[in-house]
Amino acid sequence: MTGGGGSAFAQPAGDPGELYRLADQLAGAAGKVGDLSASTRQVTGRIRDQADWTGDAADAYTAFTTGAASGIGRAEAPLGQIAGAV
């Protein structure tokens, strides 16, 4: 916290323009993570549908790929929040 000027937070050291540029890159990466999650769902779903799998192996594949796509997708919001904090 700073002692004057009414600001609750001190400005970080460094070039503000560079920080904004890096924040923009991070925001872009967050969007790409969301796209990757959606793409993963689509591709693995098509593989499953075309293979016409049944049984335990099919269930395990679906559980794994659904979990992987969800895990990737969960990273998008925090990355966007970090970029927005700048």
Side-chain angles (χ1 to χ4, degrees), residues 44-67:
T44 58
R46 282 196 303 263
I47 291 169
R48 181 191 59 240
D49 294 344
Q50 291 175 4
D52 196 29
W53 289 332
T54 60
D56 291 342
D59 294 342
Y61 173 83
T62 299
F64 175 79
T65 57
T66 299

Side-chain angles (χ1 to χ4, degrees), residues 5-61:
S7 176
F9 299 100
Q11 182 174 351
D15 178 8
E18 181 68 6
L19 293 173
Y20 287 130
R21 187 184 69 74
L22 293 171
D24 286 343
Q25 285 182 345
L26 185 56
K32 289 178 183 177
V33 165
D35 294 343
L36 177 60
S37 176
S39 176
T40 299
R41 288 181 200 282
Q42 292 171 352
V43 170
T44 58
R46 282 196 303 263
I47 291 169
R48 181 191 59 240
D49 294 344
Q50 291 175 4
D52 196 29
W53 289 332
T54 60
D56 291 342
D59 294 342
Y61 173 83

